[in-house]
Amino acid sequence: MATEIIATGKAVPARRVTNDDLARGEWIAATKIDTNDEWIRSHTGIGARHIADEDTAASDLALEAAKQALVMAVGWDGTGNGAASREAAIAETALTLDFIIIATVTPDFLGCPSTACIVQDKIGAKNAAAMDITAGCTGFVYGLETAAGLLSINKGRKRALVIGADVLTKVANWNDRGTCVLFGDGSGAVVVEKTGNPSEGPGKRGLLRTILGADGSGTEYLINRRGGTRNPWKTGEIVDIPPHLEMDGRAVYNFAVKAVTETISRLLAEEGASSGAALTFNDLAWIVPHQANARIVQAAGKRLGIPEEKFFLNIEEYANTSAASIPIALDEMNRGGKLHKGDLILTVGFGGGLTYGGNLIVW
Ligand code: UT7
């Protein structure tokens, strides 16, 4: 029994803001940032980001990504395939879902209700349980493993929708040029299904292995201090700056390079040991890293002797979309014909918590 990704989808806001736009203060009248394209590109690889408007929340982007994945899952091609319309195809497929998991650090509401419940209602997935996962930018990696676990222990359950959705620009401190230029908004979604294919041995398919880890001693390195029960808003308090992410960039950078390096090495070594045939990066079609900073990926690649072309990077267009970055990349690769049946791919993420992890998948 394998857990396979059978469909993908993505959504990013229409508003595209380049590094130059930020420096000129042209994306929002009040905010001119003391930065420039050269600094952002050379330090991060970011060229642009997509920024949600005031009325767009995480669930709106998650909903659109989910719809795209559901349409792909049912194979609706605009001409029929059983469903009368795109909406009908979405509604039909939604009813086949057993779980909806959304990884996010920017939910519509603080704690309750979950963003997953909002999406569950909007797509009409009446048979699905729904919950959010908070694991920072590693959230999608956690979500995939959680879905696979839930499907494997529930005999009658077959399908899950796993989404990464974040609207980090709403929790960015636009007065801190060291962080605000890094973020973008978006969502990526996958439909995963329990299939009759083997998950090990010859012809193995789907999610083969996952590493999940955390280092809570690094909570201070990436933190949104206000609004939770540790530090709630007080009656009458005057707020001069909205809740926002604070980051120790250097500390996260060091953690990230180590996390990426070790996760890739461990996934290959552990899968090789269990299957009895050593695996190297040459066996991988792609490594799909969390898109936080191209320099992190380059540094990890250099340590492991892995050429840059092995890593799929789209950070130049989307910046850091947190839990959405890996599923957005998967959707772009999938729709762009970069993924072929049988390809071995490795995802690797890191982020607030601190957390890290990776999945090894036969596509
Ligand atoms: O999803 C996980 C989330 N976070 C991450 O992965 C972030 C990990 N960390 C990083 O990617 C890097 O640490 C950053 C990109 C955030 C920063 O790069 P850095 O090379 O560590 O720069 P720095 O913070 O040491 O700053 C170097 C200089 C400073 O100027 P001085 O003091 O040397 O004169 C900063 O003030 O660059 C300046 N600077 C900027 N200049 C222009 C910082 N931000 C900017 C900016 N534009 N946006």
Side-chain angles (χ1 to χ4, degrees), residues 279-315:
L279 276 181
T280 74
F281 67 82
N282 288 319
D283 297 302
L284 297 171
W286 289 100
I287 298 172
V288 188
H290 167 47
Q291 317 271 324
N293 185 336
R295 280 174 52 197
I296 291 172
V297 173
Q298 285 152 2
K302 206 165 165 195
R303 280 192 195 179
L304 294 169
I306 303 177
E308 258 183 65
E309 311 81 71
K310 198 57 107 177
F311 294 88
F312 180 82
L313 283 176
N314 60 7
I315 188 171

Side-chain angles (χ1 to χ4, degrees), residues 35 39 43 137 177-178 181 247 249-250 252 290 292-293 296 320:
T35 190
W39 190 95
H43 283 73
C137 305
R177 67 176 180 170
V181 303
M247 184 176 75
R250 189 46 53 183
V252 177
H290 167 47
N293 185 336
I296 291 172
N320 178 352

